[in-house]
């Protein structure tokens, strides 16, 4: 899980919710705060398939952290590393069940 999660989940999510979303919709938002919140909301909405509020809340908070890091550093790699570390931490401390289909 700790190997495949970053490769098949974190990297595609960061490309979609950080790189693509921020670059594509940057002109619609006047301030960094609004684009960070919009990206976090879309990131959380992408996790609605898990049918639990904890996954949505945690991904919204994570989306804020990861998008903020991406905008501050202008580095997708930094955001990917942060996302991977938080995700690995969630899975190893037992909260991963809220982010898998088995947790439903």
């Amino acid at each position: 899980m700790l190997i495949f999660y970053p490769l098949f989940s974190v990297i595609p999510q960061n490309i979609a919710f950080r790189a693509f979303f921020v670059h594509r919709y940057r002109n619609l938002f006047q301030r960094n705060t609004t684009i960070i919140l919009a990206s976090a909301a879309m990131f959380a909405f992408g996790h609605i398939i898990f049918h639990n509020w904890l996954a949505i809340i945690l991904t919204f908070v994570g989306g804020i952290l990861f998008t903020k890091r991406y905008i501050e550093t202008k580095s997708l790699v930094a955001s990917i590393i942060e996302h991977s570390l938080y995700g690995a931490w969630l899975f190893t401390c037992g909260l991963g069940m809220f982010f898998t289909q088995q947790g439903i």
Side-chain angles (χ1 to χ4, degrees), residues 5-23 39 43 47 62-63 65-71 75-85 87:
Y5 170 70
L7 292 175
F8 297 111
S9 184
V10 172
I11 291 173
Q13 288 177 13
N14 276 277
I15 290 170
F17 296 111
R18 257 58 82 197
F20 175 76
F21 186 85
V22 171
H23 288 286
S39 176
F43 183 57
H47 290 79
L65 294 172
F66 309 144
T67 306
K68 188 172 187 273
R69 178 80 56 229
Y70 174 68
I71 289 173
S75 171
L76 190 59
V77 173
S79 179
I80 288 170
I81 290 170
E82 184 175 22
H83 187 169
S84 296
L85 291 172

Side-chain angles (χ1 to χ4, degrees), residues 41-74:
M42 295 307 300
F43 183 57
F45 184 75
H47 290 79
I48 203 165
I49 62 167
F50 297 119
H51 302 288
N52 70 72
W53 285 102
L54 185 60
I56 295 169
I57 292 166
L58 290 175
T59 53
F60 181 76
V61 172
I64 291 171
L65 294 172
F66 309 144
T67 306
K68 188 172 187 273
R69 178 80 56 229
Y70 174 68
I71 289 173
E72 286 174 353
T73 63
K74 297 180 177 76

